[in-house]
Amino acid sequence: MLVITSNYRLSCHIHQLKSPNLLSTNQAEFKIYGFRNWLFQTEGILPLRLNCAPNDASYFGYGSDSKSDHSNKYEEKDIQMNNLREEIKNMLNSMGDGRSSVSPYDTAWVSFIEDSNTNINGTSKTPLFPSCLQWIIDNQLDDGSWGEELVFCIYDRLLNTLACVVALTLWNTCLHKRNKGVMFIKENLSKLEGGEVENMTSGFEFVFPALLEKAQQLNIDNIPYDAPAFKDIYARREVKFTRFPKELIHTIPTIVLFSLEGLRDLDWQRLLKLQMEDGSFLTSPSSTAIAFMETNDEKCLTFLQNAVQKFNGGVPCSYPVDIQARLWAIDRLQRLGISYYFEEEIKDLLEYVFRYWDKENGFFSARNSNICEVDTTCMAIRLLRLQGFDVTPDVLNKFKDGDEFFCLRGESNKSATVMFNLHRCSQALFPGEMILEEAKNFTYNFLHQYLANNQSKDKWVIAKDIPGEIQYALEFQWYASLPRVESRLYIDQYGGANEIWIGKTLYRMPDVSNNVYLEAAKLDYNRCQSQHRFEWLIMQEWFEKCNFQQFGISKKEVLVSYFLAASSIFAVEKSRQRLAWAKSCILCKMITSYINQEATTWNSLLMEFNKYSDMSRKKSNETKEIMVLNNLYQFLHQLGKETYQDLGIDIHHQLHNVWEEWLMSLNNPTCQEEAELLVHTINLAAGHMTHDEILSKHTNKVCHMLNEFQNGQISNSSKARDIELYMQALVKLVFSNTSSNNINQDIKQTFFAVVKTFYYTAHVSEETINHHISKVLFQKA
């Protein structure tokens, strides 16, 4: 059941909606102009439960049976949403080491380990981890292969299948399954020649040739070991060896630690010094398995035992993935627009991440790693910073070589999604952070070239619409990205459970990619949209009642104002703040238009405002000045009344003062304080009585510059650079805990939300705004 909560009483509007005049007019115009005419769109808006008399609902044209049906529908959706929220909370609270799917390849390597307590006095050999062997037996696909079932990647299928074939041969069991796997390999080897390099699994050029050698040693027949398709793999291996000389591999942690099973002639005692705290070699079960077979190291064994127990007999390609799972889950929830339901859980997840933050080296996918990469590092910097954690981006210098940035040293090709995440991180910069400036320039050019080349693949993930995500990020930098616009588009781009991750094998990360997030996002979006469309009816009625046409204000301007407010403050229960924002924008336009049209001095209007209290004048006696004052007074009076009724806080005096200050600012056209007025009005509507003078001055300055930019009064690059620097300073004021410590974060966030709408309208074309209005307000998810 979608409810207008007690946080915002709409009783003041209900009497207006009893009259069918506006609705019938709008419906008639809707039939003429069709779906694309947003100014008159009312069709499809379902009735909401209101604190009003039953006959008020007749405005919607539904009989009592229909009303009951729709009420039941909303109740069902609310129950469904609540269940999804609880499911997601449970997922976030039980994330532990991070969840990922079992890797047949790594499971096979662990199954290779022989139990040293067998083969004594002539007894037969047995595996140390029989559950791994049983997992292989139980999980062969119908075509004879092992691997990701729903997405066919030749590198994944061949590597997994060859490893499982070797395991079954080694332990001389289920030979019919072994033979079926061999047949799959023989029939599909040629596909390596046409395989997409972007989807080549990590370390394939190391580990696949090593498995072939192992298969030859076991005399597995019918595999064409001299197949032409292998030549390119061997060539790539030799190139990789030149990047990672053996002395380097033994001296410092490198990404090669993830694939030690693919190397030969190693000094294992030296390599043990590069072992991680948990006993693994860079979180890889297969790499750790070969290390244990060569050294009998107890820490290796403990790691493998933990992994096998955690995954009920099998092992993943990487364990743990606790840092990656937490960061990417938060990112997905934020971009889908449902993170506001999980603020406490997200706080706990980020505190966990920050506990392991290494400001000198950065992050890997797991805690306490001895090697780091830029993808997880930049994701951590951005998410931690925007939640007020004290992190510096200086560590990104470790991932810079000349003018270029890389994910892992020695990589052969760059990942689009890594550069995309680095680009997003680079925009959350504070003044003077040159490393983020450099990252922004490099990634912007890289991603533009990626799109220009019509590329769509990535080396780390198979996702639904990588080009679409990149296109949005390039067209709408963070300052201009309105939350509800991003969410509406990302709901279409997010693949849910169909997203596949690429490691040594293909794998899934249900903490990050699942249909529960997607279903919850769609339900919540449509729920909020129903509320927004109802409020748009209120705005239209208010527009007609206040005669804004006489001040040159069109219904389209009202729609844009409401869209900006609803795209920034979208939660159903924040209706009061949202409508206060949208109406304040229109009232400001009305007042400035009146002053310009009538050549009235701001001082005269201010004097009348301070003594005006008579709302009983008849419409026939109204002058334009009375209309202005009446509209403004009714708005302030009603907003103050509703806030007091809902929150028990009297804001009348403060509300009058902030509008009086704005009217006074009209005396100086170069220093009008509309942005500050909007912020204070919104915050007062939320019951926040304090504000920040530094933020207010900064907000006014940058919004004034943005208005000049939009109106073509400034256009040279130096002025645009000034706007950029002011935005950077604003980001620091809002998100750094070192400034404005005593100010509620919600108050600071309102400053930033308002400024973003100024930046958006200054940089986005009318055509694009129209598209966003249609998408955000009138197209269901």
Side-chain angles (χ1 to χ4, degrees), residues 17-24 27 31 42-48 50 53-70 534 537:
L17 298 183
K18 290 180 182 179
S19 171
N21 294 337
L22 175 65
L23 182 62
S24 58
Q27 287 179 330
K31 291 176 181 177
T42 56
E43 200 164 282
I45 300 178
L46 300 178
L48 311 177
L50 304 173
N55 61 341
D56 291 330
S58 63
Y59 163 78
F60 295 100
Y62 295 114
S64 58
D65 291 341
S66 178
K67 177 186 173 184
S68 175
D69 291 342
H70 286 292
F534 177 76
L537 291 177

Side-chain angles (χ1 to χ4, degrees), residues 17-168:
L17 298 183
K18 290 180 182 179
S19 171
N21 294 337
L22 175 65
L23 182 62
S24 58
T25 301
N26 287 344
Q27 287 179 330
E29 290 175 307
F30 176 83
K31 291 176 181 177
I32 295 173
Y33 295 108
F35 177 81
R36 301 293 294 179
N37 187 3
W38 318 297
L39 300 185
F40 306 105
Q41 183 157 355
T42 56
E43 200 164 282
I45 300 178
L46 300 178
L48 311 177
R49 179 186 292 171
L50 304 173
N51 295 325
C52 56
N55 61 341
D56 291 330
S58 63
Y59 163 78
F60 295 100
Y62 295 114
S64 58
D65 291 341
S66 178
K67 177 186 173 184
S68 175
D69 291 342
H70 286 292
S71 295
N72 292 335
K73 178 180 178 180
Y74 278 121
E75 287 173 355
E76 291 173 4
K77 294 294 184 183
D78 274 0
I79 292 172
Q80 188 178 0
M81 186 64 199
N82 288 336
N83 291 338
L84 290 171
R85 284 167 59 183
E86 288 304 309
E87 187 173 353
I88 294 173
K89 285 185 178 184
N90 290 336
M91 291 171 61
L92 300 178
N93 289 328
S94 62
M95 200 167 285
D97 289 334
R99 286 173 277 256
S100 59
S101 57
V102 170
S103 161
Y105 168 80
D106 289 83
T107 301
W109 265 101
V110 177
S111 79
F112 295 166
I113 302 173
E114 179 185 340
D115 187 347
S116 60
N117 293 320
T118 62
N119 198 25
I120 300 174
N121 298 322
T123 58
S124 60
K125 299 178 182 179
T126 59
L128 180 62
F129 294 99
S131 66
C132 289
L133 186 59
Q134 189 61 49
W135 189 96
I136 292 169
I137 294 169
D138 293 341
N139 285 277
Q140 187 176 32
L141 302 179
D142 291 340
D143 62 1
S145 70
W146 282 263
E148 167 56 44
E149 182 175 8
L150 299 181
V151 174
F152 186 95
C153 170
I154 189 60
Y155 304 105
D156 172 73
R157 289 293 185 90
L158 284 179
L159 185 65
N160 282 310
T161 302
L162 183 56
C164 292
V165 164
V166 168
L168 295 177

Side-chain angles (χ1 to χ4, degrees), residues 492-503:
D492 290 342
Q493 295 164 347
Y494 177 62
N498 291 325
E499 284 186 347
I500 308 292
W501 298 79
I502 307 174

Side-chain angles (χ1 to χ4, degrees), residues 577-640:
Q577 296 98 299
R578 193 162 44 245
L579 288 173
W581 182 339
K583 289 185 176 183
S584 293
C585 288
I586 299 304
L587 290 169
C588 288
K589 290 179 184 290
M590 174 194 70
I591 291 169
T592 53
S593 173
Y594 169 69
I595 291 175
N596 293 333
Q597 286 179 4
E598 305 297 324
T600 302
T601 65
W602 67 274
N603 192 46
S604 171
L605 188 63
L606 179 62
M607 291 175 60
E608 291 298 321
F609 172 71
N610 283 328
K611 67 181 181 181
Y612 189 82
S613 62
D614 186 5
M615 297 173 55
S616 62
R617 291 181 174 88
K618 294 181 179 179
K619 195 167 185 176
S620 59
N621 296 329
E622 281 188 356
T623 63
K624 272 198 170 183
E625 182 179 82
I626 292 174
M627 287 173 61
V628 168
L629 294 171
N630 209 16
N631 289 339
L632 178 57
Y633 182 86
Q634 287 186 8
F635 167 72
L636 299 179
H637 174 78
Q638 193 63 41
L639 181 58

Side-chain angles (χ1 to χ4, degrees), residues 344-528:
E344 286 302 313
E345 289 78 13
I346 288 174
K347 179 183 176 184
D348 291 342
L349 295 179
L350 287 176
E351 286 178 347
Y352 178 96
V353 170
F354 189 64
R355 194 180 313 146
Y356 295 101
W357 169 245
D358 184 347
K359 65 180 181 181
E360 301 298 329
N361 297 297
F363 263 141
F364 192 62
S365 59
R367 63 188 180 274
N368 298 326
S369 174
N370 52 2
I371 186 174
C372 299
E373 38 83 6
V374 80
D375 199 17
T376 310
T377 300
C378 69
M379 185 73 85
I381 291 171
R382 181 175 64 85
L383 293 179
L384 288 170
R385 168 167 283 187
L386 297 186
Q387 290 295 321
F389 290 86
D390 184 17
V391 292
T392 172
D394 293 345
V395 68
L396 294 177
N397 283 294
K398 286 185 170 291
F399 306 99
K400 186 169 182 284
D401 185 10
D403 295 330
E404 294 192 1
F405 286 81
F406 57 85
C407 181
L408 289 159
R409 190 169 295 279
E411 65 186 7
S412 55
N413 59 309
K414 299 189 190 305
S415 158
T417 58
V418 171
M419 294 299 109
F420 167 69
N421 288 329
L422 180 57
H423 183 70
R424 292 195 294 151
C425 172
S426 71
Q427 297 181 62
L429 77 166
F430 295 167
E433 294 180 332
M434 290 306 300
I435 187 63
L436 289 182
E437 293 269 16
E438 294 166 356
K440 182 163 65 172
N441 293 333
F442 174 76
T443 54
Y444 182 86
N445 293 329
F446 177 90
L447 295 171
H448 259 293
Q449 192 60 48
Y450 175 86
L451 294 179
N453 294 338
N454 293 317
Q455 294 176 270
S456 61
K457 307 294 183 182
D458 185 68
K459 64 186 289 185
W460 296 122
V461 65
I462 301 172
K464 181 180 179 181
D465 187 12
I466 293 173
E469 294 182 51
I470 292 173
Q471 185 74 44
Y472 178 81
L474 294 180
E475 290 183 3
F476 304 94
Q477 67 167 303
W478 181 47
Y479 302 149
S481 178
L482 304 184
R484 222 46 177 172
V485 174
E486 180 181 25
S487 294
R488 181 61 187 84
L489 296 175
Y490 188 61
I491 285 172
D492 290 342
Q493 295 164 347
Y494 177 62
N498 291 325
E499 284 186 347
I500 308 292
W501 298 79
I502 307 174
K504 258 190 260 190
T505 59
L506 301 189
Y507 66 101
R508 296 174 180 271
M509 292 191 69
D511 293 321
V512 177
S513 306
N514 62 71
N515 291 334
V516 179
Y517 291 172
L518 185 59
E519 186 178 359
K522 288 181 177 181
L523 273 174
D524 183 66
Y525 191 93
N526 293 335
R527 175 176 179 267
C528 291

